[in-house]
Amino acid sequence: MAFTILVADDSETMRTVIKKTVKMSGVPVAEFYEADNGKEALAVLEKSWVDVILTDINMPEMGGVELLKAISQDDVYKQIPVIFITTESSQARMDEAARLGVAGYVKKPFLPETIKKILIDVLEKAYEHRMEEGLSMPGTDEDEEMDF
Amino acid sequence: MDEQLKRTIFETMSEVFETMFFTFLEPVSALPSEGSVGENLEYIEGKISFMCDTEGGVSIYFPRGLAQFITVNFLGFEEEEVTERQILDTVRETVNMSVGSLLGKIDPEGVCNLQIPEAKTVVDFSANLLLSEPGLCLFNTEFGYLWVVYKGN
């Protein structure tokens, strides 16, 4: 029932904040995996199934766009929804991400409520049955503030 | 520096600090004169470059107290729990967020490519040197001045 989530960001601090935000969102999490860049994220996927990927774009070695391209070319991995959490906020970047099939886009700086809303929307679309099977997420009201 | 760009930098920096760190910045409209700014604070420099038609970049100088304060707020840890590595990482991420967000506003076509941010403790901080930078924006904080130097194209 709970979801496995991969967080890819070259900032360990940002990964910590994102994990904390997801935990506060009420989405049930079975396990978090972490990656420092796209290459590490792909290495995680080789060993473990993940339900959703939250990734930065601007990372050394392999960025989020290259990661999304690699995932979309794999018959198994392409089922995994990818959400960009990134400073890259120009319309051109967002259009490119949409063309590549990104499931969600969160601009940094972000409010915790924004990640919560987009993550829940994406999970509901991708895993409708699992979400209906007893996922009780407190406070899915978009306007509700989350306290850390 | 172009006044519109300066306003955009002020708005962008304020948005990042208020949204992510619950910290308010006060833009300084009239720069202090050389010699009037104390140089006894320890600073951490975060910088990032971007490639457009030519290379540009932004350096941000954080008083150590401010860098520690935003790290504590960001992670929700106690002050004594925060490590030097986390402080430098938060400075890098702040520079990344600020300049990425700025480019989103001044480069809506997405021509510019952001590079990877860096952070280090400054051993020879010179306020007088920074005051002569044409792309300087200055913020007042309770920990001292936050210096933002934009080098664009």
Side-chain angles (χ1 to χ4, degrees):
Chain A
M1 179 58 252
F3 296 93
T4 52
I5 297 178
L6 169 58
V7 181
D9 197 307
D10 55 325
S11 164
E12 184 183 352
T13 305
M14 184 54 79
R15 295 199 302 267
T16 302
V17 170
I18 291 170
K19 285 193 300 177
K20 196 170 177 179
T21 303
V22 172
K23 283 178 191 167
M24 296 292 293
S25 74
V27 171
V29 178
E31 190 156 12
F32 279 111
Y33 295 102
E34 292 186 46
D36 206 35
N37 56 54
K39 269 189 186 172
E40 283 189 12
L42 289 173
V44 170
L45 294 181
E46 282 177 17
K47 292 179 186 168
S48 313
W49 175 256
V50 303
D51 293 311
V52 61
I53 300 171
L54 307 176
T55 181
D56 190 11
I57 289 181
N58 188 26
M59 297 182 287
E61 297 217 31
M62 180 190 267
V65 171
E66 290 76 23
L67 172 63
L68 180 59
K69 282 179 184 167
I71 286 171
S72 64
Q73 287 165 6
D74 185 285
D75 285 341
V76 176
Y77 298 161
K78 70 181 178 187
Q79 302 166 51
I80 305 170
V82 175
I83 299 172
F84 282 154
I85 302 179
T86 180
T87 62
E88 305 265 354
S89 57
S90 70
Q91 192 57 50
R93 290 278 190 278
M94 287 194 278
D95 291 345
E96 184 190 11
R99 274 198 304 277
L100 290 169
V102 75
Y105 203 106
V106 178
K107 288 184 205 174
K108 297 178 188 172
F110 56 77
L111 291 169
E113 297 83 38
T114 308
I115 289 191
K116 174 183 175 178
K117 181 183 183 307
I118 291 176
L119 178 60
I120 290 172
D121 284 350
V122 166
L123 290 174
E124 279 177 347
K125 276 183 197 156
Y127 305 104
E128 192 180 349
H129 297 299
R130 282 170 70 181
M131 295 293 276
E132 285 173 356
E133 273 171 16
L135 171 57
S136 170
M137 288 181 290
T140 51
D141 182 349
E142 190 182 333
D143 297 327
E144 183 186 341
E145 291 201 356
M146 294 166 64
D147 294 323
F148 281 98
Chain B
M1 178 194 266
D2 175 71
E3 278 305 312
Q4 178 59 42
L5 176 59
K6 203 167 190 172
R7 267 198 301 278
T8 306
I9 291 173
F10 282 143
E11 286 167 9
T12 305
M13 295 290 299
S14 295
E15 183 191 6
V16 169
F17 274 74
E18 288 173 26
T19 307
M20 302 306 292
F21 312 126
F22 319 109
T23 300
F24 292 89
L25 302 176
E26 181 192 344
V28 176
S29 49
L31 295 181
S33 56
E34 285 192 18
S36 67
V37 184
E39 303 202 356
N40 51 352
L41 283 179
E42 188 182 335
Y43 276 85
I44 295 174
E45 178 191 11
K47 66 177 180 180
I48 191 165
S49 55
F50 47 84
M51 283 302 297
C52 308
D53 298 332
T54 55
E55 188 172 2
V58 176
S59 294
I60 305 179
Y61 297 84
F62 298 72
R64 173 168 286 279
L66 176 65
Q68 182 160 1
F69 182 76
I70 63 174
T71 306
V72 166
N73 279 355
F74 199 34
L75 289 169
F77 291 174
E78 297 297 326
E79 196 172 320
E80 58 274 11
E81 291 177 308
V82 168
T83 65
E84 181 70 12
R85 182 176 156 172
Q86 288 165 334
I87 291 172
L88 291 174
D89 196 20
T90 301
V91 166
R92 266 192 298 273
E93 192 54 34
T94 306
V95 172
N96 188 37
M97 277 191 282
S98 302
V99 180
S101 188
L102 177 67
L103 288 182
K105 294 171 184 170
I106 64 176
D107 173 40
E109 298 304 315
V111 173
C112 301
N113 283 307
L114 206 55
Q115 307 298 304
I116 303 298
E118 300 168 30
K120 65 174 183 186
T121 297
V122 181
V123 290
D124 53 353
F125 179 79
S126 168
N128 288 343
L129 207 60
L130 292 180
L131 283 168
S132 64
E133 289 281 354
L136 174 65
C137 294
L138 199 58
F139 293 88
N140 206 0
T141 79
E142 60 179 299
F143 301 93
Y145 286 128
L146 176 74
W147 306 74
V148 180
V149 179
Y150 175 88
K151 291 180 178 169
N153 29 28

